[in-house]
Amino acid sequence: MFNFNEDNFRKVTKGAVGLRGQIEEIGEKLTARGYKNLFLIGSGGSIAIMYPFEYMIKTTSTLPVYAEIAAEFVLYDHKQFGPDSLVILSSLSGTTKETVEAAKFCKDKGATTIGLVGELGTPLADLTDYTLVNYSENDTASDSIYLQLYLLIFKLLAARGEFPEYARFADELEAMPEVLLDVKRATEGPAEAFVNKYKDETYHMLIGSGSVWGETYSYAMCVLEEMQWIRTKSVHAAEFFHGTLELVERDTSMILMTGEDESRPLMERVERFARKYTDKLSIFDTKEYELKGISDQFRKYLSPLIIASLFERVSVQLEAQRNHPLSTRRYYRTVEY
């Protein structure tokens, strides 16, 4: 694959699922101690990765769950948050200012915290009560964090008696490094063709729903806008028909990120509309991938990970064909703000 290190990808993703023992031990300790609710906190791409799990918990469990943007969370008095809350925070660098401040805030309030980072000795790693560490670069970060969160979240649900299939699910997650490589290989050609066709496009609409909504929001903001400086609108499929549809014209680029959970009919509705009114429709559908070794009942949970992993191949092509490195920034961590 173009500009891709398969050995490094295997190392990172196997490292993530290799934390299973540690994660299960943490889950058992937390369950024995008890907690009343769960807060998922992050900034930018890190909060976007939390949104799918908020959705999955809401559709699988009675556990109260709140996905919160770090910078906002510390400024308002969330009445459900307190010393008996469990908090999961994520920052690959472990230095994201807003997330570190949120971790300090949670510690001061007496809540129990779990941090997901790429390196020990970083501010977030030093602040959290439990820390999961798996080194990763940006191109493998989402795969790594997703795999850790699947193990952690579903272990917590299993301990509540709400996900009895956990052991089999966790076993199948161990096959995900190779499954994701198959996904990337299958996406290589379509990604190159998509970027070759749309590399000069100045505006995209990205549509998603359910557990994939977080990735839709993230790819629009953190990749197309931040890393490629392309004007982009991310919109939830359930809300598309309440405003955004009026901007669709024949030359409007619409990108659909379609998963396999309960919200899929919302995406199918948008697709039917788009086929009538734009000539620039692109669909990336997780249902088109085999996912060898993964049970049908688990596919809906894995949709956001599949979307994130396949769009990494789109990003690589964007960087190359637009001659715009993904690392180029004008403002982010470059100027004071």
Side-chain angles (χ1 to χ4, degrees):
M1 286 182 281
F2 174 67
N3 197 18
F4 184 73
N5 187 326
E6 291 192 19
D7 290 338
N8 183 65
F9 181 82
R10 286 190 178 94
K11 181 180 179 181
V12 170
T13 51
K14 288 182 179 180
V17 295
L19 293 171
R20 176 179 177 179
Q22 181 184 352
I23 289 171
E24 291 178 351
E25 182 179 349
I26 291 171
E28 289 166 4
K29 287 181 178 179
L30 292 172
T31 300
R33 177 188 298 180
Y35 54 94
K36 78 169 185 179
N37 53 34
L38 177 63
F39 281 76
L40 307 172
I41 297 176
S43 305
S46 293
I47 185 59
I49 285 181
M50 298 297 190
Y51 289 144
F53 293 95
E54 181 187 38
Y55 176 90
M56 286 183 268
I57 292 170
K58 285 180 176 179
T59 57
T60 306
S61 170
T62 59
L63 174 66
V65 58
Y66 309 93
E68 302 288 344
I69 301 171
E72 181 181 47
F73 176 70
V74 301
L75 294 177
Y76 73 99
D77 186 15
H78 198 303
K79 297 301 182 183
Q80 300 303 318
F81 179 74
D84 48 2
S85 296
L86 174 60
V87 182
I88 302 175
L89 308 103
S90 173
S91 168
L92 176 64
S93 68
T95 64
T96 306
K97 180 180 179 180
E98 296 89 344
T99 305
V100 171
E101 288 302 314
K104 292 178 181 177
F105 178 85
C106 294
K107 186 173 184 178
D108 290 343
K109 296 291 185 180
T112 301
T113 55
I114 304 173
L116 281 69
V117 299
E119 188 175 352
L120 282 173
T122 56
L124 183 61
D126 292 341
L127 279 167
T128 47
D129 298 307
Y130 302 92
T131 305
L132 298 171
V133 184
N134 189 48
Y135 177 78
S136 173
E137 299 288 353
N138 285 331
D139 62 343
T140 54
S142 61
D143 305 272
S144 174
I145 297 298
Y146 266 118
L147 289 169
Q148 293 173 66
L149 285 172
Y150 280 120
L151 290 167
L152 178 57
I153 296 296
F154 283 93
K155 174 61 181 178
L156 293 173
L157 299 188
R160 291 169 53 86
E162 295 175 321
F163 194 72
E165 306 91 348
Y166 171 77
R168 184 161 58 87
F169 180 56
D171 287 345
E172 292 188 14
L173 285 178
E174 294 183 10
M176 284 306 294
E178 295 304 319
V179 170
L180 293 174
L181 281 172
D182 287 343
V183 167
K184 290 176 182 294
R185 293 187 190 104
T187 308
E188 192 77 353
E192 183 177 6
F194 167 81
V195 175
N196 185 59
K197 183 176 182 179
Y198 294 112
K199 61 181 181 293
D200 297 321
E201 201 72 30
T202 59
Y203 174 77
H204 297 282
M205 288 183 184
L206 267 67
I207 319 295
S209 68
S211 65
V212 176
W213 166 243
E215 279 304 315
T216 310
Y217 166 78
S218 175
Y219 201 76
M221 180 175 70
C222 298
V223 179
L224 295 182
E225 292 179 341
E226 177 186 332
M227 299 181 184
Q228 289 295 295
W229 304 351
I230 300 172
R231 289 176 173 81
T232 309
K233 166 69 174 178
S234 58
V235 59
H236 196 291
E239 288 290 273
F240 176 81
F241 293 99
H242 296 273
T244 306
L245 81 167
E246 289 297 334
L247 294 179
V248 175
E249 299 181 79
R250 278 293 164 194
D251 62 348
T252 302
S253 171
M254 293 182 63
I255 304 171
L256 275 57
M257 296 180 167
T258 305
E260 299 173 58
D261 61 32
E262 301 84 352
S263 72
R264 187 178 175 90
L266 299 175
M267 294 299 296
E268 293 171 341
R269 184 186 182 202
V270 173
E271 180 181 341
R272 288 193 295 271
F273 174 89
R275 289 191 182 281
K276 291 181 181 179
Y277 298 108
T278 181
D279 295 325
K280 294 183 177 181
L281 174 62
S282 305
I283 302 172
F284 294 86
D285 188 346
T286 65
K287 199 171 185 179
E288 296 178 358
Y289 294 86
E290 181 183 3
L291 309 190
K292 186 177 181 180
I294 303 300
S295 299
D296 288 345
Q297 73 181 105
F298 298 145
R299 289 182 63 102
K300 68 176 183 177
Y301 301 118
L302 298 173
S303 289
L305 170 57
I306 302 306
I307 287 289
S309 200
L310 72 86
F311 265 90
E312 179 270 334
R313 303 315 300 152
V314 176
S315 299
V316 169
Q317 290 293 336
L318 281 169
E319 176 181 54
Q321 295 193 40
R322 300 184 74 246
N323 192 28
H324 188 124
L326 297 169
S327 58
T328 299
R329 302 288 187 278
R330 283 182 292 199
Y331 309 115
Y332 182 66
R333 296 195 176 190
T334 300
V335 302
E336 288 296 324
Y337 47 83

